[in-house]
Amino acid sequence: MANETMTVNRLPALTWNWLKMNAARLEANAPAVGAAPSFVQTAQLARSSAAQDWAMETGMGTDVDRFLANSPAEYLTLGENEVMDAPAVITYTYQPGTPAGDRLYLEAKAGSTMQVAVILRNEIAGEGLAALQIKIKAEAGAVVNLSMVQVLDNGFTCLSDIGTTCADGASFELTKLELGSGKLYAGAAADLIGKGSNFTARIGYLGQGEQRLDMNYVARHRGKKTTCEMDSTGVLAGKAFKLFRGSIDLLPGGSGAKGQEQENVLLLGDGVVNQTIPLILCGEEDVEGNHGATIGRLDEKMLFYLASRGIPEEAARSLLARARIEAVVDLLPEALAEEAHKFMEAHTDEL
């Protein structure tokens, strides 16, 4: 296994180097095996060949392409105008010790509606590397709904990378919940090439103990009248560190584009480190971009109210913090929501 140094989660436009927010650097052993994923899928979603060009920008960047170049890959396709009425559930179960990496390629043909739900987990405790890259092609008028939950133990380092291209009228809808792993590097990039294409992201995260979360989400508006909406909700406790980059790139030629990005962070305690970079890049005149961040602590009046109803302060803190995460859990398919609830029951006592 070769040790590799990677630069990931690079901002589309760099800020001051002394802020140390432009990108993340990490060292990891190249994956030697895959996670042997298990599938629960409908007959509509068929395995296909790799005989096409899958080059596209991802949230984490090209170093991850190289890092996972020899990892096992699955190619899944949904035919034209087919509509899935239930998600295909894919579970990646990682083991401690040997680094494991996987690639997943999803192709939604014109007019189709694809639903895929992904779980990243482990059964045996220990230290390990879990890496997954997902690339998605949404043809004209297609809708791809991807839901993900990550519930790895604290001993794992997780790399979770997504890239997509959207043709005319296509839509990529992402719901993603990050609950575990001691070190998380995650990113998603949507290339809105076609007229009227759309990217919607609902992201939730929980950082506690000494967890480190580094995330990068980018919407690139190339086509006319494209839209994006990125909403993230997180809770940080203990000595957790989090860096979230949310970029709306309004490129030349994308007239009529509209982008919205918002983050809401709840801080529990004085030991947490929170860094947020909402970024809008504008290369076109007839566009609209909005971004913002709300960062705060628990409402003392609410804590007092709950105390007056007989709920101890520690229990009230945990209740209010979990309510933030539950708002994202409610958007997940049943199988993923069960994994999230199981993890939170076992790991949120200290909030």
Side-chain angles (χ1 to χ4, degrees):
M1 294 180 291
N3 188 276
E4 297 192 26
T5 299
M6 292 180 283
T7 299
V8 300
N9 290 351
R10 188 186 298 275
L11 279 172
L14 304 183
T15 184
W16 300 103
N17 283 328
W18 63 268
L19 294 174
K20 297 181 179 179
M21 295 181 176
N22 285 323
R25 288 181 63 82
L26 69 142
E27 291 187 0
N29 288 324
V33 297
S38 64
F39 290 80
V40 177
Q41 66 184 73
T42 68
Q44 294 166 296
L45 197 56
R47 284 183 167 87
S48 59
S49 70
Q52 58 176 295
D53 182 12
W54 282 96
M56 64 179 67
E57 295 180 273
T58 64
M60 292 187 67
T62 56
D63 279 10
V64 177
D65 286 331
R66 187 191 72 248
F67 186 68
L68 296 177
N70 297 317
S71 295
E74 291 282 350
Y75 299 84
L76 302 175
T77 299
L78 185 64
E80 286 191 14
N81 299 316
E82 293 199 45
V83 177
M84 296 175 62
D85 54 8
V89 180
I90 309 174
T91 303
Y92 292 86
T93 303
Y94 295 93
Q95 306 297 331
T98 304
D102 293 272
R103 295 173 294 160
L104 177 63
Y105 298 89
L106 305 173
E107 182 181 25
K109 294 291 188 179
S112 65
T113 299
M114 175 187 285
Q115 298 185 60
V116 176
V118 175
I119 301 169
L120 281 70
R121 62 190 295 271
N122 65 286
E123 293 180 341
I124 302 172
E127 296 185 357
L129 173 74
L132 175 63
Q133 184 182 67
I134 301 176
K135 291 187 176 182
I136 300 159
K137 288 183 179 180
E139 292 188 357
V143 175
V144 177
N145 189 322
L146 174 64
S147 302
M148 298 182 67
V149 63
Q150 181 267 116
V151 288
L152 293 161
D153 281 349
N154 196 53
F156 279 80
T157 296
C158 179
L159 280 61
S160 178
D161 188 28
I162 299 170
T164 183
T165 58
C166 294
D168 289 354
S171 181
F172 174 47
E173 301 172 4
L174 173 66
T175 305
K176 199 165 190 280
L177 183 59
E178 310 283 8
L179 294 178
S181 74
K183 294 180 180 179
L184 169 73
Y185 301 91
D191 205 345
L192 303 175
I193 301 171
K195 181 179 179 180
S197 56
N198 171 73
F199 172 47
T200 301
R202 301 285 184 268
I203 304 146
Y205 58 85
L206 170 64
Q208 51 188 332
E210 296 187 1
Q211 283 181 279
R212 294 184 64 85
L213 294 78
D214 191 291
M215 294 171 279
N216 185 47
Y217 286 80
V218 183
R220 294 186 174 90
H221 295 260
R222 301 186 193 275
K224 298 180 184 298
K225 296 184 178 180
T226 56
T227 56
C228 82
E229 183 178 352
M230 296 185 285
D231 289 335
S232 60
T233 300
V235 177
L236 299 176
K239 297 181 179 179
F241 169 91
K242 182 233 74 182
L243 171 54
F244 184 91
R245 308 170 186 85
S247 301
I248 300 171
D249 196 355
L250 300 160
L251 293 159
S255 60
K258 295 182 179 181
Q260 172 76 34
E261 189 265 330
Q262 178 71 37
E263 186 182 16
N264 193 314
V265 190
L266 177 62
L267 307 179
L268 301 178
D270 297 327
V272 302
V273 176
N274 175 72
Q275 296 179 339
T276 298
I277 308 178
L279 176 66
I280 294 179
L281 302 172
C282 189
E284 179 66 49
E285 292 185 1
D286 180 23
V287 292
E288 179 180 330
N290 298 286
H291 64 153
T294 302
I295 302 167
R297 302 182 183 278
L298 286 175
D299 188 340
E300 293 298 327
K301 292 182 180 179
M302 178 60 71
L303 289 173
F304 178 79
Y305 172 80
L306 294 173
S308 70
R309 296 297 185 270
I311 301 176
E313 181 177 346
E314 288 188 3
R317 286 165 58 88
S318 179
L319 180 67
L320 293 173
R322 287 189 59 169
R324 295 285 188 100
I325 304 300
E326 288 289 346
V328 180
V329 175
D330 289 343
L331 302 175
L332 296 171
E334 183 177 355
L336 274 64
E338 289 179 1
E339 288 284 345
H341 285 138
K342 188 189 305 181
F343 184 92
M344 288 193 294
E345 288 294 332
H347 295 86
T348 56
D349 292 341
E350 60 192 69
L351 287 177

